Amino acid sequence: MATLAEKMCDPYSEHSGANDDEISRVSLHLFIAYIPCGSKRADNWQLMPQSGIVSNSSALSGWPELPLAEWEPTFHTLHMWTQVVGKVRLGLTPLQNHWWNAALYVNTRGLTTSPIPYQGEAFRLLFNFADHRLELETSSGRHAAIALAPKSVAAFYKEVFSMLRDAGIEVSINPKPQEVPDPIPLDRDETHASYQPEYANRLWRILLSTDTVFKEFRARFLGKSSPVHFFWGSFDLCTTRFNGKKAPPRKGVITSEAYSHECSSVGWWPGGGEFNSPAFYAYNAPEPTGFNARKLRPEAAHYHSTLHEFVLMYDDVRRSKSPEREILEFAQSAYEAGADLAGWDRKALKR
């Protein structure tokens, strides 16, 4: 039997593969905790020079193409890289409701952890998809970086923790990847080793544009709502609204916290499985009776019976006259459908 300390180090270990009936997509919006180790300080940081990689002009559009087949190896590698960085944040931050302290955030260069507290100071890690570097910065003004380039997950793992140790930051993580089939421990993964700067940059451009629209949608709501955040387990960007009511309890340390209260969520995901291109999605949890029969806007939106979610394909959005309006209509109509059926007080929650 695992000790309490062991469970704290990896609370997911006893629940891996459990509650599959609760999971609507392979990319469920969950994430996993791990435990930090000791601490020490170092005096010297190494600054890496600016990358010479320049993104192609085709990536500069706010809504570029991102067909999965063209960058899937890079997608899978980035998925594992973000898990390494995300686990560092989760290991050093206090638990927030619904595991919000696990997420990454979109910014003007890529994806960031936001400030992470450490020994009375703070640091942040940033995936810079413009200059193609993973950057480390501390509140004391120290900087370091490693190149984002073709390399294995194991090599990336080693470089990240070497950079952290050189900065006097000691943390350990559970190397088991989450929410992927046949996981390879991150520190031993020599399989995933692709990095295409063009497609990493396109991913960021889409996330940046989507982040802006989701924030506009979030601003319409007076109730409790999540930030617009990126989950490295499911590799998706989302924002979630809550009505304040407790949801029926779920089994499992992760799902019980993630879905402790009734919610309505909208997000963007790069695809996988039967989806060969990205998609926007929307769902209510728990799903109210009749939700699947509702007609959403725009016309291209449809209910996916296996996922128990509404789906709007990204390519339909980006080809439209106004991608921003299409996303807002999808998000709003999905919220209205689920909230009405679940008995939310929409009038009281509307700004």
Side-chain angles (χ1 to χ4, degrees), residues 66-82:
L66 197 66
L68 188 60
E70 294 185 10
W71 76 296
E72 191 164 9
T74 292
F75 167 31
H76 291 311
T77 301
L78 279 177
H79 192 180
M80 296 300 97
W81 289 0
T82 59

Side-chain angles (χ1 to χ4, degrees), residues 22-324:
E22 299 180 351
I23 299 174
S24 59
R25 276 190 307 127
V26 174
S27 301
L28 183 63
H29 323 295
L30 310 174
F31 15 90
I32 178 60
Y34 41 83
I35 195 77
C37 286
S39 61
K40 66 177 183 179
R41 292 298 307 273
D43 295 325
N44 298 316
W45 288 51
Q46 185 175 11
L47 179 64
M48 198 184 91
Q50 289 281 337
S51 168
I53 300 174
V54 178
S55 301
N56 294 338
S57 60
S58 63
L60 299 182
S61 163
W63 306 102
E65 291 183 281
L66 197 66
L68 188 60
E70 294 185 10
W71 76 296
E72 191 164 9
T74 292
F75 167 31
H76 291 311
T77 301
L78 279 177
H79 192 180
M80 296 300 97
W81 289 0
T82 59
Q83 294 213 15
V84 173
V85 171
K87 283 171 177 277
V88 170
R89 183 190 180 213
L90 186 54
L92 292 172
T93 53
L95 174 65
Q96 294 180 21
N97 45 263
H98 317 295
W99 302 101
W100 287 352
N101 59 308
L104 304 178
Y105 306 95
V106 177
N107 75 358
T108 54
R109 306 304 280 175
L111 286 168
T112 181
T113 58
S114 74
I116 300 171
Y118 188 78
Q119 297 296 300
E121 297 188 11
F123 70 96
R124 70 104 171 104
L125 290 164
L126 166 68
F127 282 98
N128 184 331
F129 293 131
D131 299 314
H132 303 286
R133 311 185 306 174
L134 179 72
E135 300 173 353
L136 170 65
E137 182 181 61
T138 72
S139 55
S140 61
R142 295 175 176 177
H143 300 265
I146 61 175
L148 299 180
K151 68 181 74 172
S152 70
V153 174
F156 178 82
Y157 184 101
K158 182 178 180 180
E159 290 181 14
V160 169
F161 284 96
S162 176
M163 179 171 65
L164 290 171
R165 284 193 299 272
D166 287 346
I169 299 167
E170 294 287 346
V171 57
S172 65
I173 66 172
N174 171 12
K176 177 187 175 183
Q178 309 304 325
E179 302 185 55
V180 294
D182 304 317
I184 306 170
L186 296 165
D187 56 348
R188 301 203 300 269
D189 185 353
E190 299 289 347
T191 299
H192 302 103
S194 176
Y195 186 79
Q196 297 162 278
E198 166 78 8
Y199 288 95
N201 186 271
R202 291 190 192 191
L203 170 68
W204 162 58
R205 291 284 172 178
I206 296 169
L207 292 174
L208 185 63
S209 297
T210 302
D211 180 77
T212 300
V213 180
F214 281 1
K215 284 176 178 173
E216 180 177 345
F217 175 67
R218 181 179 185 268
R220 301 174 177 179
F221 191 70
L222 284 176
K224 171 184 168 181
S225 59
S226 77
V228 179
H229 43 196
F230 181 89
F231 288 128
W232 40 264
S234 49
F235 206 81
D236 60 353
L237 185 75
C238 68
T239 183
T240 304
R241 295 176 171 185
F242 298 83
N243 68 357
K245 297 179 181 178
K246 285 190 174 183
R250 299 193 180 201
K251 297 178 181 179
V253 66
I254 304 302
T255 53
S256 61
E257 176 63 35
Y259 293 106
S260 61
H261 290 71
E262 294 184 16
C263 65
S264 171
S265 189
V266 62
W268 178 92
W269 176 56
E274 67 181 86
F275 292 86
N276 56 15
S277 62
F280 293 91
Y281 63 83
Y283 66 89
N284 265 58
E287 181 177 327
T289 302
F291 187 58
N292 61 333
R294 287 297 181 104
K295 182 63 179 176
L296 301 192
R297 305 182 303 272
E299 287 293 324
H302 63 280
Y303 185 82
H304 195 290
S305 58
T306 302
L307 305 181
H308 293 278
E309 298 178 358
F310 279 95
V311 173
L312 176 64
M313 298 309 296
Y314 168 73
D315 285 339
D316 290 330
V317 170
R318 72 175 190 84
R319 294 186 185 117
S320 68
K321 292 182 179 179
S322 175
E324 295 83 0

